[in-house]
Short mmCIF file of all heavy atoms in Angstrom, two decimals:
data_model
loop_
_atom_site.label_atom_id
_atom_site.label_comp_id
_atom_site.label_asym_id
_atom_site.label_seq_id
_atom_site.Cartn_x
_atom_site.Cartn_y
_atom_site.Cartn_z
N TRP A 1 94.83 112.83 96.58
CA TRP A 1 95.93 112.27 97.31
C TRP A 1 97.24 112.75 96.82
O TRP A 1 98.28 113.03 97.50
CB TRP A 1 95.92 110.79 97.38
CG TRP A 1 94.79 110.25 98.39
CD1 TRP A 1 93.65 109.64 98.14
CD2 TRP A 1 94.97 110.49 99.81
NE1 TRP A 1 93.03 109.29 99.36
CE2 TRP A 1 93.82 109.77 100.40
CE3 TRP A 1 95.94 111.00 100.71
CZ2 TRP A 1 93.52 109.82 101.71
CZ3 TRP A 1 95.65 111.00 101.93
CH2 TRP A 1 94.48 110.39 102.56
N ALA A 2 97.38 112.97 95.49
CA ALA A 2 98.66 113.59 94.90
C ALA A 2 98.77 115.00 95.56
O ALA A 2 99.89 115.43 95.75
CB ALA A 2 98.50 113.54 93.41
N VAL A 3 97.65 115.80 95.55
CA VAL A 3 97.74 117.16 96.07
C VAL A 3 98.10 117.09 97.55
O VAL A 3 98.93 117.91 97.97
CB VAL A 3 96.38 117.92 95.81
CG1 VAL A 3 96.41 119.14 96.59
CG2 VAL A 3 96.15 118.08 94.36
N TYR A 4 97.49 116.24 98.24
CA TYR A 4 97.82 115.99 99.69
C TYR A 4 99.26 115.80 99.87
O TYR A 4 99.93 116.35 100.85
CB TYR A 4 96.90 114.98 100.34
CG TYR A 4 97.10 114.69 101.72
CD1 TYR A 4 96.37 115.40 102.63
CD2 TYR A 4 97.99 113.71 102.18
CE1 TYR A 4 96.50 115.23 104.06
CE2 TYR A 4 98.12 113.55 103.54
CZ TYR A 4 97.43 114.27 104.51
OH TYR A 4 97.59 114.02 105.83
N ALA A 5 99.81 114.90 99.11
CA ALA A 5 101.30 114.54 99.22
C ALA A 5 102.11 115.78 98.94
O ALA A 5 103.06 115.95 99.66
CB ALA A 5 101.66 113.39 98.23
N GLU A 6 101.79 116.58 97.92
CA GLU A 6 102.60 117.69 97.61
C GLU A 6 102.63 118.61 98.82
O GLU A 6 103.68 119.15 99.35
CB GLU A 6 101.98 118.50 96.42
CG GLU A 6 102.24 117.88 95.09
CD GLU A 6 103.72 117.53 94.95
OE1 GLU A 6 104.54 118.50 94.92
OE2 GLU A 6 104.13 116.45 94.72
N ASP A 7 101.39 118.90 99.37
CA ASP A 7 101.32 119.79 100.55
C ASP A 7 102.18 119.26 101.78
O ASP A 7 102.91 120.08 102.36
CB ASP A 7 99.87 119.90 100.95
CG ASP A 7 99.66 120.81 102.13
OD1 ASP A 7 100.08 121.98 102.05
OD2 ASP A 7 99.14 120.41 103.19
N LYS A 8 102.01 118.00 102.09
CA LYS A 8 102.59 117.45 103.26
C LYS A 8 104.19 117.33 103.16
O LYS A 8 104.88 117.65 104.03
CB LYS A 8 101.98 116.20 103.70
CG LYS A 8 100.59 116.23 103.91
CD LYS A 8 100.22 117.32 105.03
CE LYS A 8 98.72 117.59 105.17
NZ LYS A 8 98.44 118.80 105.98
N TRP A 9 104.65 116.82 101.95
CA TRP A 9 106.04 116.64 101.88
C TRP A 9 106.78 118.02 101.74
O TRP A 9 107.90 118.17 102.40
CB TRP A 9 106.40 115.71 100.69
CG TRP A 9 106.09 114.25 100.99
CD1 TRP A 9 105.00 113.53 100.64
CD2 TRP A 9 106.93 113.39 101.68
NE1 TRP A 9 105.16 112.26 101.11
CE2 TRP A 9 106.42 112.12 101.83
CE3 TRP A 9 108.18 113.55 102.37
CZ2 TRP A 9 106.93 111.05 102.49
CZ3 TRP A 9 108.82 112.51 102.97
CH2 TRP A 9 108.09 111.30 103.06
N ARG A 10 106.17 118.88 100.95
CA ARG A 10 106.87 120.12 100.78
C ARG A 10 106.77 120.98 102.05
O ARG A 10 107.71 121.82 102.39
CB ARG A 10 106.34 120.92 99.60
CG ARG A 10 106.74 120.16 98.25
CD ARG A 10 106.32 121.03 97.03
NE ARG A 10 106.52 120.36 95.86
CZ ARG A 10 107.67 120.21 95.07
NH1 ARG A 10 108.71 120.85 95.62
NH2 ARG A 10 107.75 119.61 93.89
N SER A 11 105.65 120.88 102.81
CA SER A 11 105.60 121.62 104.00
C SER A 11 106.71 121.14 105.00
O SER A 11 107.33 122.00 105.60
CB SER A 11 104.15 121.30 104.71
OG SER A 11 104.12 121.69 106.01
N LEU A 12 106.93 119.84 105.08
CA LEU A 12 107.90 119.37 105.99
C LEU A 12 109.34 119.70 105.51
O LEU A 12 110.17 120.24 106.21
CB LEU A 12 107.84 117.81 106.05
CG LEU A 12 108.84 117.19 106.96
CD1 LEU A 12 108.83 117.57 108.43
CD2 LEU A 12 108.79 115.60 106.90
N LEU A 13 109.55 119.51 104.16
CA LEU A 13 110.92 119.68 103.66
C LEU A 13 111.33 121.06 103.45
O LEU A 13 112.41 121.49 103.56
CB LEU A 13 111.05 118.96 102.31
CG LEU A 13 111.02 117.43 102.38
CD1 LEU A 13 110.72 116.77 100.99
CD2 LEU A 13 112.35 116.97 102.94
N MET A 14 110.30 122.00 103.34
CA MET A 14 110.58 123.45 103.15
C MET A 14 110.42 124.30 104.41
O MET A 14 110.58 125.47 104.42
CB MET A 14 109.70 124.01 101.98
CG MET A 14 109.92 123.32 100.66
SD MET A 14 108.93 123.98 99.30
CE MET A 14 109.69 125.61 99.05
N GLY A 15 109.89 123.64 105.42
CA GLY A 15 109.70 124.31 106.63
C GLY A 15 108.55 125.32 106.57
O GLY A 15 108.66 126.46 107.11
N ARG A 16 107.45 124.97 106.02
CA ARG A 16 106.29 125.91 105.84
C ARG A 16 105.14 125.22 106.49
O ARG A 16 104.85 123.95 106.51
CB ARG A 16 105.98 126.10 104.39
CG ARG A 16 107.17 126.65 103.51
CD ARG A 16 107.40 128.14 103.82
NE ARG A 16 108.41 128.56 103.02
CZ ARG A 16 109.68 128.63 103.19
NH1 ARG A 16 110.17 128.24 104.35
NH2 ARG A 16 110.52 129.28 102.38
N PRO A 17 104.15 126.07 107.06
CA PRO A 17 102.92 125.51 107.60
C PRO A 17 102.12 124.94 106.45
O PRO A 17 101.98 125.65 105.32
CB PRO A 17 102.21 126.80 108.16
CG PRO A 17 103.24 127.86 108.31
CD PRO A 17 104.30 127.56 107.24
N PRO A 18 101.49 123.83 106.65
CA PRO A 18 100.83 123.19 105.57
C PRO A 18 99.48 123.92 105.21
O PRO A 18 98.89 124.58 106.03
CB PRO A 18 100.44 121.78 106.15
CG PRO A 18 100.42 121.97 107.58
CD PRO A 18 101.51 123.03 107.80
N TYR A 19 99.06 123.81 103.97
CA TYR A 19 97.82 124.43 103.53
C TYR A 19 96.56 123.62 103.86
O TYR A 19 95.56 124.06 104.08
CB TYR A 19 97.83 124.63 102.02
CG TYR A 19 98.89 125.62 101.54
CD1 TYR A 19 99.99 125.23 100.83
CD2 TYR A 19 98.60 126.95 101.56
CE1 TYR A 19 100.98 126.16 100.25
CE2 TYR A 19 99.45 127.91 101.07
CZ TYR A 19 100.65 127.49 100.53
OH TYR A 19 101.54 128.45 99.99
N ILE A 20 96.76 122.31 103.94
CA ILE A 20 95.67 121.35 104.05
C ILE A 20 95.58 120.97 105.66
O ILE A 20 96.52 120.56 106.21
CB ILE A 20 95.78 120.14 103.29
CG1 ILE A 20 95.79 120.41 101.82
CG2 ILE A 20 94.73 119.12 103.60
CD1 ILE A 20 96.05 119.25 100.92
N HIS A 21 94.33 121.12 106.18
CA HIS A 21 94.15 120.79 107.57
C HIS A 21 93.18 119.69 107.71
O HIS A 21 92.13 119.54 106.87
CB HIS A 21 93.66 122.01 108.38
CG HIS A 21 94.64 123.19 108.26
ND1 HIS A 21 95.78 123.19 109.01
CD2 HIS A 21 94.70 124.21 107.44
CE1 HIS A 21 96.46 124.23 108.82
NE2 HIS A 21 95.82 124.91 107.84
N ARG A 22 93.30 118.81 108.60
CA ARG A 22 92.61 117.44 108.72
C ARG A 22 91.13 117.68 108.90
O ARG A 22 90.25 116.81 108.40
CB ARG A 22 93.14 116.69 109.87
CG ARG A 22 92.53 115.26 109.91
CD ARG A 22 92.85 114.56 108.69
NE ARG A 22 92.15 113.23 108.52
CZ ARG A 22 90.88 113.06 107.96
NH1 ARG A 22 90.34 114.11 107.51
NH2 ARG A 22 90.48 111.88 107.92
N ASP A 23 90.64 118.78 109.42
CA ASP A 23 89.15 118.92 109.62
C ASP A 23 88.47 119.51 108.39
O ASP A 23 87.26 119.75 108.45
CB ASP A 23 88.97 119.83 110.85
CG ASP A 23 89.61 121.13 110.77
OD1 ASP A 23 90.38 121.36 109.76
OD2 ASP A 23 89.35 122.03 111.69
N GLU A 24 89.19 119.53 107.22
CA GLU A 24 88.61 120.13 106.06
C GLU A 24 88.62 119.13 104.88
O GLU A 24 88.38 119.61 103.72
CB GLU A 24 89.31 121.41 105.56
CG GLU A 24 89.18 122.52 106.58
CD GLU A 24 87.79 123.13 106.74
OE1 GLU A 24 87.02 122.72 105.87
OE2 GLU A 24 87.56 123.98 107.58
N TRP A 25 88.68 117.81 105.14
CA TRP A 25 88.62 116.95 103.96
C TRP A 25 88.19 115.54 104.57
O TRP A 25 88.34 115.22 105.75
CB TRP A 25 89.92 116.74 103.30
CG TRP A 25 91.13 116.31 104.01
CD1 TRP A 25 91.99 117.05 104.77
CD2 TRP A 25 91.50 114.92 104.19
NE1 TRP A 25 92.86 116.18 105.41
CE2 TRP A 25 92.67 114.90 104.98
CE3 TRP A 25 91.22 113.71 103.70
CZ2 TRP A 25 93.43 113.77 105.38
CZ3 TRP A 25 91.87 112.57 104.03
CH2 TRP A 25 92.96 112.54 104.90
N ASP A 26 87.55 114.71 103.71
CA ASP A 26 86.98 113.40 104.13
C ASP A 26 87.21 112.38 103.11
O ASP A 26 86.40 111.48 103.04
CB ASP A 26 85.54 113.64 104.56
CG ASP A 26 84.60 113.90 103.40
OD1 ASP A 26 85.11 114.19 102.21
OD2 ASP A 26 83.45 113.96 103.65
N VAL A 27 88.20 112.53 102.28
CA VAL A 27 88.40 111.49 101.20
C VAL A 27 88.90 110.17 101.84
O VAL A 27 89.83 110.17 102.69
CB VAL A 27 89.40 112.06 100.18
CG1 VAL A 27 89.66 111.04 99.05
CG2 VAL A 27 88.91 113.33 99.62
N ASP A 28 88.41 109.04 101.49
CA ASP A 28 88.86 107.73 101.94
C ASP A 28 90.19 107.49 101.44
O ASP A 28 90.68 107.97 100.42
CB ASP A 28 87.87 106.69 101.54
CG ASP A 28 86.49 106.70 102.27
OD1 ASP A 28 86.48 107.34 103.35
OD2 ASP A 28 85.55 106.16 101.75
N GLU A 29 90.89 106.54 102.11
CA GLU A 29 92.26 106.13 101.72
C GLU A 29 92.06 105.29 100.41
O GLU A 29 90.98 104.75 100.22
CB GLU A 29 92.93 105.31 102.80
CG GLU A 29 93.34 106.16 104.00
CD GLU A 29 94.19 105.53 105.00
OE1 GLU A 29 94.80 104.37 104.53
OE2 GLU A 29 94.18 105.86 106.15
N LEU A 30 93.10 105.24 99.75
CA LEU A 30 92.98 104.55 98.34
C LEU A 30 92.75 103.03 98.51
O LEU A 30 93.37 102.45 99.36
CB LEU A 30 94.28 104.78 97.51
CG LEU A 30 94.43 106.37 97.05
CD1 LEU A 30 95.96 106.42 96.58
CD2 LEU A 30 93.48 106.49 95.94
N GLN A 31 92.01 102.50 97.58
CA GLN A 31 91.76 101.00 97.46
C GLN A 31 92.16 100.53 96.11
O GLN A 31 92.27 101.50 95.21
CB GLN A 31 90.30 100.70 97.79
CG GLN A 31 89.76 101.31 99.14
CD GLN A 31 90.39 100.71 100.30
OE1 GLN A 31 90.90 99.57 100.27
NE2 GLN A 31 90.54 101.50 101.35
N SER A 32 92.25 99.29 95.92
CA SER A 32 92.64 98.83 94.64
C SER A 32 91.46 99.21 93.60
O SER A 32 91.75 99.44 92.37
CB SER A 32 92.76 97.27 94.61
OG SER A 32 91.53 96.67 95.08
N SER A 33 90.25 99.36 93.95
CA SER A 33 89.15 99.78 93.06
C SER A 33 89.39 101.12 92.53
O SER A 33 88.84 101.48 91.57
CB SER A 33 87.82 99.58 93.76
OG SER A 33 87.85 100.54 94.90
N ASP A 34 90.24 102.01 93.16
CA ASP A 34 90.50 103.33 92.67
C ASP A 34 91.48 103.30 91.52
O ASP A 34 91.83 104.37 91.04
CB ASP A 34 91.06 104.19 93.86
CG ASP A 34 90.01 104.35 94.94
OD1 ASP A 34 88.89 104.68 94.73
OD2 ASP A 34 90.43 104.29 96.13
N PHE A 35 91.92 102.15 91.20
CA PHE A 35 92.78 102.01 89.89
C PHE A 35 92.22 101.09 88.88
O PHE A 35 92.85 100.82 87.92
CB PHE A 35 94.15 101.44 90.48
CG PHE A 35 94.78 102.32 91.35
CD1 PHE A 35 94.74 102.11 92.79
CD2 PHE A 35 95.66 103.43 90.97
CE1 PHE A 35 95.28 102.83 93.72
CE2 PHE A 35 96.14 104.29 91.94
CZ PHE A 35 96.11 103.98 93.32
N ALA A 36 90.99 100.66 89.05
CA ALA A 36 90.30 99.78 88.13
C ALA A 36 90.13 100.65 86.83
O ALA A 36 90.10 101.87 86.84
CB ALA A 36 88.97 99.33 88.66
N PRO A 37 90.12 99.96 85.64
CA PRO A 37 90.17 98.49 85.48
C PRO A 37 91.69 97.97 85.41
O PRO A 37 91.92 96.86 84.92
CB PRO A 37 89.47 98.26 84.22
CG PRO A 37 89.80 99.50 83.39
CD PRO A 37 89.92 100.60 84.39
N PHE A 38 92.53 98.72 85.74
CA PHE A 38 94.08 98.35 85.72
C PHE A 38 94.65 97.97 87.08
O PHE A 38 95.36 98.64 87.70
CB PHE A 38 94.96 99.46 85.17
CG PHE A 38 94.50 99.91 83.82
CD1 PHE A 38 93.58 101.03 83.71
CD2 PHE A 38 95.04 99.39 82.67
CE1 PHE A 38 93.14 101.45 82.46
CE2 PHE A 38 94.53 99.92 81.37
CZ PHE A 38 93.58 100.84 81.32
N GLN A 39 94.10 96.91 87.67
CA GLN A 39 94.48 96.62 89.01
C GLN A 39 95.63 95.61 88.99
O GLN A 39 95.52 94.36 89.01
CB GLN A 39 93.32 95.92 89.73
CG GLN A 39 92.06 96.77 89.92
CD GLN A 39 90.93 96.15 90.64
OE1 GLN A 39 91.20 95.34 91.58
NE2 GLN A 39 89.69 96.48 90.31
N ASP A 40 96.89 96.24 88.86
CA ASP A 40 98.06 95.46 88.80
C ASP A 40 99.10 96.11 89.73
O ASP A 40 98.81 97.05 90.34
CB ASP A 40 98.62 95.43 87.34
CG ASP A 40 98.82 96.82 86.71
OD1 ASP A 40 99.15 97.75 87.53
OD2 ASP A 40 98.63 97.00 85.59
N HIS A 41 100.28 95.51 89.81
CA HIS A 41 101.32 95.89 90.73
C HIS A 41 101.77 97.32 90.46
O HIS A 41 102.57 97.93 91.25
CB HIS A 41 102.39 94.92 90.84
CG HIS A 41 102.03 93.62 91.43
ND1 HIS A 41 101.74 93.47 92.76
CD2 HIS A 41 101.83 92.45 90.86
CE1 HIS A 41 101.40 92.29 93.00
NE2 HIS A 41 101.49 91.47 91.92
N ALA A 42 101.50 97.84 89.23
CA ALA A 42 102.04 99.22 88.92
C ALA A 42 101.50 100.19 89.92
O ALA A 42 102.04 101.19 90.02
CB ALA A 42 101.73 99.58 87.50
N TYR A 43 100.37 99.96 90.54
CA TYR A 43 99.67 100.98 91.34
C TYR A 43 100.20 100.85 92.78
O TYR A 43 99.88 101.84 93.60
CB TYR A 43 98.18 100.72 91.19
CG TYR A 43 97.77 100.96 89.85
CD1 TYR A 43 97.39 99.78 89.15
CD2 TYR A 43 97.56 102.23 89.40
CE1 TYR A 43 96.99 100.08 87.80
CE2 TYR A 43 97.09 102.38 88.01
CZ TYR A 43 96.84 101.21 87.33
OH TYR A 43 96.36 101.43 86.11
N ILE A 44 100.77 99.81 93.21
CA ILE A 44 101.19 99.56 94.61
C ILE A 44 102.07 100.67 95.13
O ILE A 44 101.83 101.25 96.20
CB ILE A 44 101.78 98.24 94.87
CG1 ILE A 44 100.71 97.16 94.74
CG2 ILE A 44 102.48 98.16 96.22
CD1 ILE A 44 101.31 95.76 94.84
N PRO A 45 103.07 101.21 94.35
CA PRO A 45 103.85 102.27 94.83
C PRO A 45 103.00 103.49 95.30
O PRO A 45 103.37 103.98 96.46
CB PRO A 45 104.80 102.58 93.71
CG PRO A 45 104.90 101.24 93.01
CD PRO A 45 103.62 100.70 93.19
#
């Protein structure tokens, strides 16, 4: 998701075609369990 964010924000802000296309990845959206065992508010951002 950090790589995805780099691609999407810089694609938009720099006016470039994105490298990542939706039909080539299947990672689920983040859940609180993806930050275990440190499930605190530091991860919400």
Side-chain angles (χ1 to χ4, degrees):
W1 282 112
V3 171
Y4 182 87
E6 286 305 303
D7 178 60
K8 298 311 175 186
W9 283 100
R10 291 189 187 272
S11 168
L12 179 64
L13 290 161
M14 299 179 73
R16 303 286 187 268
Y19 292 106
I20 297 173
H21 300 281
R22 187 60 189 93
D23 55 354
E24 293 291 353
W25 61 274
D26 65 357
V27 181
D28 288 341
E29 293 188 21
L30 290 167
Q31 308 293 329
S32 59
S33 58
D34 296 313
F35 301 95
F38 304 90
Q39 298 181 37
D40 55 35
H41 291 290
Y43 300 98
I44 289 176

